Amino acid sequence: MRRISILGATGSIGQNTIDLIARAPGDYEVVALTGAGNISQLAADARRLNAQIAVTAHEHLLDDLRAALTGSETEAAAGTAAITEAAARPADWVMSAIVGAAGLEPGLAALQQGSTLALANKESLVCAGQLMLATARAHNARILPVDSEHSAVFQALVGEDISAVERVIITASGGAFRDWPVEKLATATLAQASSHPNWDMGQRITIDSASMFNKAMELIETKEFFGVRPDQIEAVVHPESMIHALVGFRDGALMAHVGPPDMRHAIGYALHWPERRSLPVERLDLAAIGQLSFRAPCETRWPALRLAREVMEAGGLSGAVFNAAKETALDGFIAGDIGFTQMSDVVEEVLSRVPAAAGQNDAAFTLDNVAETDHLARQEARSVINRKAG
Ligand code: NDP
Ligand code: MG
């Protein structure tokens, strides 16, 4: 039996992961499930899967979790330290699907005990890619990408030599506003930004898709994970979301990964890797689809893409600044303090103000450095937001 843990079990990726493992309950021993506010889902899944421990990030919800687990064998715990401790319990495979920089420490803890980390939490690579990879190397652990584009690139690279890669192209659906006039974007509401044309995901990543901050994060994630140069990485708008990424080789060949927009493919690939097992995803009927289309992404519409390029060039801790500013700007948009297009203004301003040069090499790239930079960037972002809101 494989021992598995799911960090962020109550979210969109977590629930898709549970959907897959619940189909073969005899194959898995569930170690830890973690969540935050959704106690009833967390407890129900912990009971159903007979998890060793269920953890909520919120300490004030510990009593509720305990009550919801009464009569089961599952232990209850609460708080961010408890999540990291749960992630450090011996497991063969750990899904990292907490949203935001909060996923970094638990992911590192899982790597430190040698687990295979299935990584949906792109924020940890954007904030601290070098640290994640160095930790995996030091503990003989493995990171497998779960973000659909990165899973697609990973699959296109099977049996290939990375030095033969000329370019990596990740696709973007364009999100909720791809066809809106640019002038109208400033009026976009939270409800409008929270609906995605193709993918069913958590609210934050859905809004990030509309602003292209999600794609911006994924460009940086590509650089960090695959070690390719910024000038080798491109994004292309592909409204149908059927091709997830393409890898271009030096002989001119482009290998594309094609599949339905269903995260259970990438999750299942990471779960069964290096095998391919049958997965409950739609089989595409190409003739019925008829056509696939592509367009160049416009950086006036989506300034996040330009900012990502600057971050990739700058390196160091600029990814941590970028992510923290983006998360804070997103909080500001969700709270109604700033408008949709002001999110990228906030991030741009914070990037120009917070020093990010430290951490250019592995030794300087510590969790403390990342945490300090993250803290400074959030502080700065809040002051920029307050100024704009006031
Ligand atoms: P959701 O918002 O649906 O779920 C987030 C999960 O994290 C929930 O379990 C939530 O708990 C938990 N959580 C929230 N805040 C904290 C915190 N401070 N500490 C610990 N746990 C917390 O997000 P998604 O599933 O959409 O995304 C998860 C990650 O995967 C993100 O990094 C996202 O970018 C990435 N990803 C998602 C994709 C998708 O299709 N959804 C595709 C590719 C990548 P609760 O719900 O109980 O409050
Ligand atoms: Mg993605």
Side-chain angles (χ1 to χ4, degrees):
M1 288 233 279
R2 280 175 89 197
R3 298 164 304 172
I4 76 160
S5 291
I6 305 173
L7 313 174
T10 50
S12 165
I13 292 285
Q15 291 292 297
N16 276 310
T17 309
I18 288 175
D19 175 82
L20 292 180
I21 64 163
R23 290 165 192 261
D27 292 356
Y28 306 105
E29 181 187 330
V30 176
V31 178
L33 297 182
T34 81
N38 193 346
I39 297 298
S40 55
Q41 187 70 56
L42 181 61
D45 288 327
R47 280 177 186 279
R48 179 159 70 114
L49 302 170
N50 198 21
Q52 279 175 21
I53 185 167
V55 192
T56 162
H58 302 317
E59 287 179 29
H60 68 278
L61 294 179
L62 180 58
D63 288 344
D64 293 356
L65 180 60
R66 280 208 180 107
L69 288 169
T70 308
S72 75
E73 289 174 5
T74 303
E75 206 181 309
T80 45
I83 289 191
T84 300
E85 280 164 30
R89 289 196 176 197
D92 303 303
W93 188 89
V94 177
M95 167 54 77
S96 167
I98 289 172
V99 64
L104 175 60
E105 270 198 72
L108 287 170
L111 290 172
Q112 278 157 1
Q113 51 92 16
S115 287
T116 290
L117 189 70
L119 190 72
N121 179 266
K122 61 193 84 184
E123 296 87 345
S124 37
L125 275 182
V126 171
C127 294
Q130 291 183 46
L131 182 59
M132 291 287 289
L133 297 187
T135 306
R137 272 194 305 273
H139 298 275
N140 209 12
R142 186 181 291 280
I143 304 175
L144 294 173
V146 171
D147 212 347
S148 56
E149 298 76 5
H150 305 77
S151 173
V153 172
F154 189 78
Q155 293 179 52
L157 286 173
V158 170
E160 303 286 354
D161 183 346
I162 190 84
S163 65
V165 172
E166 232 170 36
R167 58 185 178 145
V168 175
I169 306 170
I170 61 174
T171 61
S173 68
F177 306 137
R178 66 177 173 230
D179 298 318
W180 279 37
V182 176
E183 322 76 72
K184 207 180 142 198
L185 289 177
T187 68
T189 65
L190 179 59
Q192 288 166 331
S194 302
S195 88
H196 197 284
N198 306 345
W199 294 91
D200 180 13
M201 310 184 285
Q203 187 194 33
R204 297 181 74 88
I205 184 172
T206 302
I207 301 169
D208 282 348
S209 296
S211 62
M212 281 279 189
F213 267 111
N214 181 49
K215 210 50 52 183
M217 299 277 289
E218 291 179 355
L219 290 169
I220 303 167
E221 187 186 2
T222 304
K223 178 195 160 207
E224 296 295 333
F225 191 81
F226 297 103
V228 282
R229 295 188 316 271
D231 63 287
Q232 293 178 294
I233 309 168
E234 304 163 37
V236 67
V237 177
H238 167 47
E240 296 85 1
S241 295
M242 296 289 172
I243 295 182
H244 304 299
L246 308 95
V247 177
F249 294 93
R250 62 182 163 216
D251 59 357
L254 266 181
M255 301 295 282
H257 181 283
V258 191
D262 182 338
M263 286 309 295
R264 291 177 305 174
H265 171 75
I267 296 167
Y269 185 78
L271 181 61
H272 302 305
W273 181 90
E275 285 175 39
R276 278 192 192 271
R277 295 209 190 151
S278 177
L279 292 172
V281 300
E282 183 196 345
R283 272 47 176 174
L284 292 181
D285 178 343
L286 293 178
I289 293 165
Q291 289 186 16
L292 295 177
S293 58
F294 305 92
R295 25 179 144 142
C298 163
E299 292 189 358
T300 315
R301 179 184 293 278
W302 294 302
L305 297 176
R306 171 176 51 81
L307 299 177
R309 212 152 278 292
E310 289 169 17
V311 168
M312 288 194 290
E313 294 295 347
L317 287 162
S318 61
V321 175
F322 180 79
N323 180 68
K326 191 277 297 179
E327 286 191 28
T328 312
L330 179 57
D331 291 338
F333 174 65
I334 292 173
D337 296 335
I338 52 171
F340 182 76
T341 49
Q342 286 180 308
M343 286 191 284
S344 54
D345 298 341
V346 171
V347 175
E348 182 156 20
E349 201 167 327
V350 174
L351 275 171
S352 71
R353 288 192 188 188
V354 176
Q360 293 287 4
N361 55 55
D362 280 8
F365 218 107
T366 65
L367 188 56
D368 284 348
N369 276 346
V370 175
E372 192 190 324
T373 303
D374 177 280
H375 176 74
L376 281 176
R378 280 174 205 268
Q379 231 173 13
E380 194 63 46
R382 270 189 296 271
S383 91
V384 176
I385 290 168
N386 289 342
R387 179 158 45 73
K388 288 189 188 293

